[in-house]
Amino acid sequence: MLQVEDLYAGYGASEVLTGTTLSVKKGTLVALIGANGAGKTTTMRAISGGLKPSKGKVVLDGKEVQGLDASRIARLGLAHSPEGRKVFGPLSVEDNLLLGAYSRLPRFFGFHAKAQADLDRVYDLFPKLKERHKQAAGTLSGGEQQMLAIGRALMARPKVMLLDEPSMGLAPVIVQEVFRTIRRLKEEGITLLLVEQFAKSALEVADYAYVMERGRIAVEGTPAELSRNERVIAAYLG
Amino acid sequence: MNPSIIGQMAVSGALMGLVYALIAYGFQLTYATSKSINFGQGELVMISAFFSLTLTNLGLPYWAMVPGGLLFGAVMGLVVERAGVRLALEQKSEGWILLTIIIGLFFFSTAENIWGRDDRPFPTPISADPIHIFGVDVTRLELAVAVGVLGIMGLIELFKRRTLLGKAFEAVSADRDAAELMGISATRTVMLSYGLSGAVAALAGILVSPITTVGPTMASAIILKAFSVAVVAGLDSGFGVVLIGMFLGALESLSSFYLGSGWREAPGLILLILALAVRPTGVFGKAVIRKV
Ligand SMILES: Nc1ncnc2c1ncn2[C@@H]1O[C@H](COP(=O)(O)OP(=O)(O)OP(=O)(O)O)[C@@H](O)[C@H]1O
Ligand SMILES: [Mg+2]
């Protein structure tokens, strides 16, 4: 569903990604782990169009999308829940969710009715968001904002969803809740690429995983294989 | 001092101040989406007023001339965005400042060449006869200014809150990159904001022209005061520009009455200096709160 081939991207003169290759099959959950600064966020941004790759290919559902505007790639079925959540602070929780489905909804009237089924689904997944649907998103707690960021991405009914460090800065109980949510998304058959600091938990939920070091994939394999790899154990699972 | 004269002066000044508020509101619209404003907005007001005058002279009735003028203003706003703002913003440069000034100068000489340098009256079916409300006389023209300004601002605010496109406008204002991830085109949203800003400026020209007459320099003083209002009220509060605009309008009308018309521009400048010294984000501006 998503293939990244020999991708190069960076900021100004400094190249961060130097030939990243990975792929995510339909209906699977793929984890991308690696040390701070390895280039995981950069990979996600180069996939979703926030950064223009200088070389390489990004193929989404059979269509090459590298170099397109982020908004265009989103309309083609990629939902990216970015590092730091990036909810629209001044807007209400419900408005944030509605905007998640922006590309599928009428621009002026009737958008709410058309999105109702998706709203109900997200509210069912995150009852807290329903309780607070009128509240400004910026006033939610960190955990609630993360739920909102995931819910917003779900609203798009994406072909592929990118989740960048959903557990960042959250208390341990909330992190567990985040992982429960990720498991549920997986059970619903959503195709997911997940970046996580908590390598162990990520490997527990993933079907396949990549380990990134200095802008390249250093090791890849099933979680079982990686859990036996001594280098991976020493660096990320110790 | 006669209190009824003070009231009279304050009210008609405040109604004029709504024109400043409307132009300042136009600055807020583009600043929200792109952190840029059109420094040639005064010329946009002026050229739209001339265009509307031409429509009237061609025999168009008032109700058909107004949308025509607004459309012209919107198109000119889009021209400014395309020619003066977009490339500069793409390169993360401040070049739009100079470019929008230059486009303004270009509008100015175009207007001089087409319509000449003279000030011309702007005919309107709205009568200038005073009507008596709450102890002061206001003309229908002044009331039309209030209705027009508050009407269009209300409509735009309604658009931002009630339609999905409006919410997308707010999303781009809050976080451009995140909005793009939702499939919202930031470029188009910036275009929309420049179109709206141009339409709003054109309306300001149409509303004020019957009172001030139309000429190439008609907006040069108005625009300075619109800048003052925008800076004093902050670049994110529509409510703030209305209050500050009316306050400034009343103040300058009173000071020109009591101190002489040479002092007309003084309150705006003093207000601007005070505001910059005391609250650079504006009286109604919010400090941006970011959760990390
Ligand atoms: N906006 C930027 N401008 C310049 N350099 C950047 C920028 N963002 C990231 N970098 C650099 O790119 C490299 C990779 O960063 P990236 O954010 O992709 O790492 P990461 O794997 O996501 O790390 P973390 O686990 O800390 O989130 C780092 O060296 C970082 O300093
Ligand atoms: Mg990161």
Side-chain angles (χ1 to χ4, degrees):
Chain A
M1 186 56 82
L2 176 72
Q3 282 96 34
V4 174
E5 289 167 32
D6 196 28
L7 201 64
Y8 284 71
Y11 306 90
S14 74
E15 204 84 273
V16 175
L17 302 185
T18 50
T20 305
T21 298
L22 58 84
S23 89
V24 185
K25 292 201 179 69
K26 190 171 180 193
T28 63
L29 195 170
V30 172
L32 177 61
I33 59 179
N36 289 122
K40 308 180 294 293
T41 297
T42 306
T43 304
M44 289 202 154
R45 293 187 59 200
I47 293 172
S48 68
L51 263 179
K52 301 268 177 277
S54 52
K55 200 180 145 213
K57 270 196 215 167
V58 177
V59 183
L60 174 66
D61 195 19
K63 189 171 169 13
E64 286 190 27
V65 299
Q66 74 277 0
L68 299 181
D69 281 346
S71 57
R72 183 99 186 55
I73 297 177
R75 288 198 290 274
L76 290 171
L78 186 95
H80 178 178
S81 166
E83 187 174 72
R85 310 184 257 275
K86 305 285 163 63
V87 298
F88 303 115
L91 276 70
S92 72
V93 166
E94 189 144 303
D95 285 352
N96 270 268
L97 291 175
L98 288 168
L99 286 166
Y102 181 76
S103 28
R104 291 191 292 108
L105 297 178
R107 298 287 184 267
F108 287 92
F109 304 105
F111 56 89
H112 201 285
K114 195 160 177 223
Q116 195 59 53
D118 300 82
L119 281 174
D120 290 343
R121 171 168 166 241
V122 170
Y123 287 149
D124 179 51
L125 199 57
F126 307 116
K128 265 272 173 44
L129 295 184
K130 181 164 194 176
E131 263 168 51
R132 301 179 176 265
H133 71 282
K134 282 193 171 148
Q135 196 172 320
T139 62
L140 297 177
S141 74
E144 289 161 354
Q145 287 193 16
Q146 186 57 58
M147 300 308 166
L148 179 55
I150 295 175
R152 192 176 62 173
L154 271 176
M155 288 294 290
R157 293 191 204 150
K159 291 175 181 155
V160 179
M161 185 160 155
L162 311 184
L163 268 182
D164 196 347
E165 296 212 34
S167 67
M168 188 166 83
L170 302 180
V173 228
I174 312 290
V175 173
Q176 283 180 11
E177 205 181 317
V178 168
F179 274 98
R180 267 201 300 278
T181 305
I182 292 171
R183 243 178 245 281
R184 242 185 103 171
L185 299 182
K186 182 181 163 177
E187 281 159 15
E188 290 189 20
I190 290 165
T191 309
L192 259 168
L193 178 62
L194 170 71
V195 162
E196 255 304 330
Q197 288 287 325
F198 292 97
K200 215 169 176 172
S201 315
L203 289 183
E204 280 169 18
V205 292
D207 299 303
Y208 199 79
Y210 294 89
V211 179
M212 185 160 225
E213 277 171 15
R214 274 168 275 109
R216 282 166 190 270
I217 302 301
V219 191
E220 62 172 276
T222 63
E225 287 162 2
L226 292 188
S227 308
R228 289 193 299 269
N229 183 314
E230 282 174 14
R231 223 170 107 205
V232 176
I233 295 172
Y236 308 103
L237 302 175
Chain B
M1 275 194 245
N2 184 336
S4 86
I5 290 189
I6 297 185
Q8 180 68 52
M9 286 281 137
V11 168
S12 37
L15 290 175
M16 266 304 283
L18 282 173
V19 172
Y20 312 151
L22 184 56
I23 299 172
Y25 182 69
F27 288 140
Q28 293 183 330
L29 289 172
T30 64
Y31 189 78
T33 58
S34 64
K35 298 285 171 287
S36 70
I37 61 174
N38 174 18
F39 277 97
Q41 193 81 337
E43 284 72 22
L44 205 159
V45 170
M46 174 272 296
I47 204 167
S48 304
F50 264 126
F51 180 83
S52 306
L53 177 63
T54 302
L55 288 184
T56 305
N57 291 343
L58 288 175
L60 241 62
Y62 193 78
W63 59 264
M65 174 277 287
V66 173
L70 294 196
L71 191 65
F72 178 82
V75 171
M76 289 301 109
L78 290 175
V79 167
V80 170
E81 191 274 336
R82 185 67 255 245
V85 180
R86 193 183 304 176
L87 285 177
L89 288 182
E90 274 169 11
Q91 292 160 13
K92 306 231 179 326
S93 97
E94 307 290 326
W96 55 268
I97 297 176
L98 200 58
L99 281 169
T100 56
I101 293 174
I102 291 169
I103 294 169
L105 291 174
F106 179 72
F107 283 172
F108 185 85
S109 46
T110 306
E112 270 196 347
N113 286 322
I114 297 179
W115 291 289
R117 295 189 180 178
D118 300 331
D119 289 341
R120 308 182 189 193
F122 191 99
T124 163
I126 304 168
S127 98
D129 297 338
I131 39 180
H132 206 68
I133 314 177
F134 302 123
V136 291
D137 289 334
V138 280
T139 65
R140 282 177 207 281
L141 266 180
E142 289 172 327
L143 279 183
V145 170
V147 170
V149 170
L150 298 177
I152 199 165
M153 284 179 69
L155 273 180
I156 293 175
E157 288 302 308
L158 215 59
F159 158 75
K160 289 204 277 187
R161 287 176 175 74
R162 292 273 182 270
T163 71
L164 191 66
L165 190 62
K167 291 175 198 289
F169 185 100
E170 301 277 62
V172 171
S173 310
D175 188 330
R176 183 191 169 105
D177 293 342
E180 282 264 330
L181 295 180
M182 308 295 113
I184 301 164
S185 163
T187 313
R188 286 199 183 193
T189 308
V190 173
M191 285 171 66
L192 174 66
S193 72
Y194 268 89
L196 284 175
S197 178
V200 148
L203 184 66
I206 292 169
L207 291 173
V208 82
S209 292
I211 302 173
T212 61
T213 70
V214 183
T217 56
M218 64 177 277
S220 47
I222 294 177
I223 204 70
L224 267 181
K225 281 171 270 189
F227 273 122
S228 305
V229 169
V231 170
V232 174
L235 279 162
D236 49 25
S237 165
F239 177 68
V241 289
V242 168
L243 279 190
I244 300 283
M246 292 177 75
F247 177 70
L248 177 63
L251 202 63
E252 69 176 18
S253 147
L254 288 172
S255 58
S256 75
F257 184 73
Y258 285 106
L259 304 174
S261 60
W263 293 97
R264 194 176 171 80
E265 319 299 339
L269 292 174
I270 293 172
L271 213 58
L272 184 59
I273 293 167
L274 279 181
L276 286 175
V278 180
R279 274 216 63 170
T281 56
V283 178
F284 295 91
K286 312 167 214 124
V288 182
I289 304 162
R290 274 210 200 111
K291 271 199 174 175
V292 182

